[in-house]
Amino acid sequence: MKRIMLLMISLILVFSFSSKAFASQVIPIYVNGNVLTPDVNPYIQNQRTFVPIRFIGEALNATSIKWDYSSKTATLVFNQNVIKLPVGSRYVTVNGKQYKIDAPINLVRGRTFVPVRFISETLGYDVIWANSSVYISNNGYTPSNKYSSEDLYWLSRIVEAEAVGEPYAGKLAVANVIINRKKSSEFPSTIKSVIFDNKYGIQFSPVADGNIYNTPTQESINAAIAALNGSNNIGNSLYFLNPAKSSNFWIMNNRKFVTQINNHYFYA
């Protein structure tokens, strides 16, 4: 019985380590300032970000992406550069020369994952980790704003809760209302405190009904990221409402109208 218990504990530990090592994460990835959306989330191992090979290959304009079943090796071709990536190995080959990487190439859920920094820097791109995001560029682009993972966590959730069913522009606009409030002396000074502000009553209905805790879609996350990085499509708006769903029209009667995006009206 004791041996069975020890075996079960060992299996649990192995499973837990494996799940943690390859846990996928929402890690925004930019190429020359444009946010990209992989169809499978990246993961981090040994402090290295791994992404699906086809995703990074296409993002950096690979000439071809090949898979050799016999050797279980992926090959990326970028004009004159040929990168061979054997699955399970810490050694990769670039134009015939071998290099050691910090974590092995892996198959995760049937997809081949490769280290984004190694691939990018091998091709002459700069790679910056900031704002819980990966920035890849060969044109000198760097993130203009700094924000925390907590900022992204709460902003993406209020965007999802308030703008579900709205187009991307509407989601971006909602994100910017929150950021504009954070910058204004009229409101609290952090994104989370703006969302949960109740000085004059609860400001956002998702806080009251619990929808603020819903998991955001990738589009809501992308809109939050774009707003945090300075993309603004509603100027200095501090308020928004959907007239078809609202019972209180104080905003419409007391604030300056800025624009309408689908079902939402925005006011400064």
Side-chain angles (χ1 to χ4, degrees):
M1 185 66 179
K2 185 177 180 180
R3 291 179 63 186
I4 293 174
M5 288 295 293
L6 288 172
L7 177 60
M8 290 177 67
I9 291 171
S10 297
L11 289 173
I12 291 171
L13 289 173
V14 169
F15 177 78
S16 297
F17 173 79
S18 176
S19 298
K20 183 178 181 180
F22 301 111
S24 64
Q25 301 179 44
V26 176
I27 303 172
I29 296 175
Y30 291 79
V31 174
N32 290 331
N34 298 310
V35 66
L36 305 177
T37 307
D39 58 344
V40 178
N41 286 337
Y43 69 83
I44 295 177
Q45 186 181 13
N46 289 355
Q47 298 182 333
R48 296 292 182 268
T49 303
F50 282 70
V51 295
I53 187 171
R54 184 163 296 280
F55 163 75
I56 192 61
E58 292 176 351
L60 301 182
N61 300 312
T63 306
S64 69
I65 305 169
K66 301 177 182 178
W67 172 255
D68 187 321
Y69 287 94
S70 61
S71 64
K72 295 183 179 179
T73 298
T75 300
L76 289 173
V77 179
F78 299 86
N79 297 321
Q80 303 302 315
N81 294 298
V82 179
I83 305 174
K84 293 185 177 293
L85 305 140
V87 169
S89 175
R90 287 177 178 268
Y91 292 90
V92 301
T93 303
V94 180
N95 298 330
K97 186 175 180 179
Q98 196 174 70
Y99 297 87
K100 186 177 181 180
I101 56 178
D102 295 320
I105 309 302
N106 277 302
L107 280 175
V108 181
R109 298 181 297 278
R111 301 291 297 275
T112 303
F113 280 70
V114 297
V116 65
R117 179 178 291 276
F118 179 83
I119 300 298
S120 303
E121 290 184 345
T122 295
L123 299 171
Y125 286 78
D126 295 317
V127 180
I128 298 172
W129 174 266
N131 303 335
S132 300
S133 306
V134 177
Y135 296 86
I136 304 168
S137 73
N138 60 359
N139 65 1
Y141 175 86
T142 57
S144 57
N145 297 312
K146 299 294 182 182
Y147 58 87
S148 68
S149 57
E150 180 182 72
D151 290 339
L152 178 57
Y153 180 93
W154 288 113
L155 187 61
S156 61
R157 277 158 175 75
I158 192 65
V159 168
E160 176 69 17
E162 286 284 7
V164 61
E166 294 294 307
Y168 176 80
K171 291 179 172 67
L172 178 63
V174 167
N176 272 293
V177 165
I178 305 300
I179 291 173
N180 286 345
R181 287 193 176 198
K182 173 181 175 291
K183 294 177 179 177
S184 170
S185 60
E186 298 178 45
F187 298 93
S189 59
T190 69
I191 284 178
K192 182 179 180 180
S193 59
V194 163
I195 292 169
F196 289 91
D197 181 20
N198 62 1
K199 184 177 180 180
Y200 299 105
I202 293 175
Q203 297 291 297
F204 301 100
S205 59
V207 172
D209 60 29
N211 287 330
I212 186 64
Y213 301 104
N214 292 347
T215 301
T217 62
Q218 188 63 52
E219 185 171 70
S220 292
I221 293 169
N222 289 347
I225 292 167
L228 286 165
N229 277 299
S231 179
N232 185 332
N233 62 341
I234 45 88
N236 61 347
S237 296
L238 294 170
Y239 301 88
F240 66 90
L241 83 163
N242 179 342
K245 295 182 177 180
S246 295
S247 57
N248 185 330
F249 296 96
W250 178 89
I251 294 173
M252 298 181 74
N253 295 327
N254 292 276
R255 307 300 297 201
K256 179 183 178 182
F257 175 76
V258 175
T259 190
Q260 177 184 354
I261 301 177
N262 203 40
N263 293 312
H264 281 146
Y265 289 44
F266 293 86
Y267 294 79

